[in-house]
Amino acid sequence: MAAIISVSVQAEGFDPGEEYRSLRSENFADGATAMFVGNVRDFSPIEPVGSPVENSKGNSVAVLELEHYPGMAESALTDIARQAAQRWPLGRVRVIHRFGQLRAGEEIVFVGTSSAHRQAALDACAFIMDFLKSRAPFWKKEIGQGAESGHWVQARHSDEDALKKW
Amino acid sequence: MAAIISVSVQAEGFDPGEEYRSLRSENFADGATAMFVGNVRDFSPIEPVGSPVENSKGNSVAVLELEHYPGMAESALTDIARQAAQRWPLGRVRVIHRFGQLRAGEEIVFVGTSSAHRQAALDACAFIMDFLKSRAPFWKKEIGQGAESGHWVQARHSDEDALKKW
Amino acid sequence: MIKVLFFAGLREQLGCDALDVDAADIASIAQLRTRLAGKDAAWQSALASEQLQVAVNQRLATMHADVKDGDEVAFFPPVTGG
Amino acid sequence: MIKVLFFAGLREQLGCDALDVDAADIASIAQLRTRLAGKDAAWQSALASEQLQVAVNQRLATMHADVKDGDEVAFFPPVTGG
């Protein structure tokens, strides 16, 4: 049976609780639901007194700006979700990725999978996140408090490496 | 920094949306939240007309009865959560396991982890579920519709095997 | 006394969820198990399962584990939660 | 015409988010990239990055991919969503 796949690329926020209910609604076949939510971080492990608020790694992020490639973003996420559904026996797959300006704490991304098997749901959720990180056309820019311009987040080798295990 | 671990063994239901909000509340350090929810399945792939409703594998489950070992259930789950927090850099860990009579569709178990790193959150969530399945003292009995007595769910070798990867 | 608990299918087979056993002459789980199996054929059969698991003072243990007066010992089938 | 798009840091470096390029004499992404890099030093520098990624008609492609009249080609830095 083909999985029910739903993908959204949107500026608006979303409610993970609502997404959970939607994954479960009238879904008695799947005993397992795995979810991942990515939120905007905001932390300053080293913030010397009097230092300007910076937007580089480890410093306070006031706003995260997410640029995306409209059209390709949706199709890339759908393609990744389909690959997961071919690989694991999934009932439902839900992927949401936001774009635009997001503040600290806000939700950026949601991946939810349901399956009859817990390992399938968990693996598929991790698989989708790994491929989304390295294959879906979104770019993050950190804009510090008071800063006029921002700082593009650099891709990490560890994200590309994460794909090798699949 | 030590993870904040919260474990509940309870008869009452829970709301995964509420648990998500609790994992995220005032939590700006962790950009990643992974969750797993286990629900009571109810499906009948083969249900010949006129056959009695059975409570064995693959047939309709009216009620799932969860027996647990009070005291040990809590400490086993706490121990598993602590092991996960020692192994991965987690901010928060939440584990809920219900006992008593549950109907099809109801939530049985919740595992939620937050971390600065997506892989840590996802791996820790899967690790906790794997150990919970084979090390926490809960037993499931399926009671078919109209059936007086029930059928104890048998442990699967695949669950024990799942521990080997950790 | 050693407090002995039984859970799930084993509890039902034995028709017993808890009993106290005199700790004299019992130093290990294996000895406790032998003592219990000696009650009658039903107990012998139920406690013979190779899959049987045991906890001492609410922690998983092996059949070789020590046991002493005041301990709480639980026998049960493989767990199936989650 | 080939529609060419630029995203994120590359878009900012070039000060350009989209342009049309005459498809004549261009059969591959590599040729398109060379044509664009020839505009001036800033474009040459920005398009020289080894990390540059490319999509043809909204699918990830390699620099060796074919391209033809009517295609949409996008250049961008490694993605950082999620």
Side-chain angles (χ1 to χ4, degrees), chain A residues 1 3 23-24 27-35 84-85 87-93 112-125, chain B residues 36-41 43:
Chain A
M1 201 176 67
L23 284 164
R24 296 305 322 164
N27 183 354
F28 295 105
D30 296 334
T33 305
M35 294 172 281
R87 203 157 157 167
W88 291 279
L90 305 177
R92 302 187 190 180
V93 182
T113 54
S114 77
S115 173
H117 308 282
R118 100 179 164 279
Q119 206 56 60
L122 286 162
D123 284 351
C125 184
Chain B
F36 179 88
V37 186
N39 297 69
V40 181
R41 283 203 278 172
F43 66 107

Side-chain angles (χ1 to χ4, degrees), chain A residues 1-15:
Chain A
M1 201 176 67
I4 299 168
I5 294 173
S6 170
V7 169
S8 302
V9 175
Q10 62 189 46
E12 314 85 66
F14 58 84
D15 173 10

Side-chain angles (χ1 to χ4, degrees), chain A residues 67 69 97 138-141 152, chain D residues 8 11-12 72 77 80 82:
Chain A
E67 181 167 331
Y69 181 175
H97 204 302
F138 292 89
W139 299 271
K140 285 194 185 115
K141 188 181 201 173
W152 290 100
Chain D
R11 174 178 56 72
E12 288 187 344
E72 175 177 303
T80 56

